[in-house]
Amino acid sequence: MAPPIILTEGLTKDYHLGPHTVHALRGVSVTIERGDFVAVMGPSGSGKSTFMNLLGCLDTATAGRYVLDDQDVAGLAADELAQIRNAKIGFVFQQFNLLPRTSAIENVELPLLYAGVHARGRRARARACLEAVGLADREGHHPSQLSGGQQQRVAIARALVNDPAVILADEPTGNLDTRTSVEVLALMQKLNRGGLTLVLVTHEPDIATYASRHLVFRDGRLKSDERVEAPVDAVAALTSMPADADGEAA
Ligand code: ADP
Ligand code: MG
């Protein structure tokens, strides 16, 4: 069996605020397999974002082990972490985080620019990713000319462009209406069926029903870890939803 894409053992994060110590993560041990679609849930303050920041190599653990795609990450220096992050992780955020006066395709190309890919290679790869998210005909549009759902799909294309080992999404549907949220989830399910590993933070149980595994955090601990036998199929769910009034639908 292939080794897991993500393995943590006793992952711990303390924040020091003057004389106080906040125990944000209190020893989380979990493995995420290639091709998993994981929803990370739990109440506010339970450690979800801290966990995602560690997985995304945006921050370092106080203690514990983290192996990403066969590479031991704990203890690496900031520049080494940045390299791993750029090569292995695709991020999707609630606020989309697209550059405003920049076309969709240029937004998608950006990580390749940082990675030093030449212009023609960037364009071809970005175009393929925009096509994968159903926006081939919008490559010249700026974010303000796109709906919220389309902007999030551009952000997903940008996250895919480096061919990452895993996509980390923190509340990616938090700014979208219900139908648009399910459209974005349909895209995520499609990418997941193609083999992509996804870790999605959500505080909404409805959103989590589209994932195939639920990790629930509480007080910095992993409270439960359950596989979902039959996740809700987003495409099927869309057919039983009223059509969107302002034409978000792809
Ligand atoms: P969640 O994303 O589940 O809401 P977080 O991971 O953001 O939870 O926070 C977990 C705990 O760590 C909370 O008590 C929070 O206040 C604390 N915390 C998070 N980030 C910081 C920080 N940068 N400095 C101090 N405490 C923090
Ligand atoms: Mg959070």
Side-chain angles (χ1 to χ4, degrees), residues 205-226:
D206 281 359
I207 297 295
T209 60
Y210 297 94
S212 50
R213 186 175 171 193
H214 294 169
L215 299 181
V216 182
F217 283 77
R218 183 163 221 154
D219 298 329
R221 292 191 172 88
L222 191 56
K223 193 181 140 223
S224 71
D225 174 1
E226 285 176 357

Side-chain angles (χ1 to χ4, degrees), residues 71-139:
Q71 186 159 15
D72 228 309
V73 171
L76 291 186
D79 59 330
E80 295 171 304
L81 276 183
Q83 252 176 39
I84 293 183
R85 184 164 69 232
N86 293 339
K88 306 261 182 200
I89 312 271
F91 292 98
V92 178
F93 304 97
Q94 179 171 354
Q95 311 289 349
F96 320 139
N97 293 9
L98 300 175
L99 295 182
R101 281 171 294 279
T102 307
S103 66
I105 195 155
E106 285 165 343
N107 268 285
V108 175
E109 281 181 18
L110 214 55
L112 297 176
L113 189 66
Y114 298 141
V117 177
H118 62 85
R120 202 177 320 146
R122 289 202 302 268
R123 194 46 50 123
R125 175 80 189 131
R127 203 161 264 155
C129 289
L130 274 180
E131 201 174 311
V133 302
L135 288 177
D137 55 345
R138 297 288 197 280
E139 66 170 55

Side-chain angles (χ1 to χ4, degrees), residues 6-13 15 24-32 38-41 46-59 61 65-66 91 168 170 199-201 213 215-217 220-222:
I6 281 170
L7 179 151
T8 75
E9 279 174 5
L11 202 65
T12 301
K13 181 70 182 179
Y15 292 109
L25 279 188
R26 301 170 185 258
V28 171
S29 302
V30 70
T31 57
I32 294 175
V38 179
V40 172
M41 297 186 287
S46 59
K48 304 182 296 297
S49 292
T50 301
F51 179 65
M52 293 292 266
N53 289 343
L54 292 178
L55 293 191
C57 302
L58 293 164
D59 203 354
R65 196 158 166 248
Y66 175 27
F91 292 98
L168 302 179
D170 201 341
V199 183
L200 160 89
V201 169
R213 186 175 171 193
L215 299 181
V216 182
F217 283 77
R221 292 191 172 88
L222 191 56

Side-chain angles (χ1 to χ4, degrees), residues 4 18 20 43 45 56 83 116 136 165 167 169 186 190 204-205 212 222 224 235-236:
H20 303 287
Q83 252 176 39
I167 296 260
K190 184 183 96 173
E204 292 182 75
S212 50
L222 191 56
S224 71
V235 171

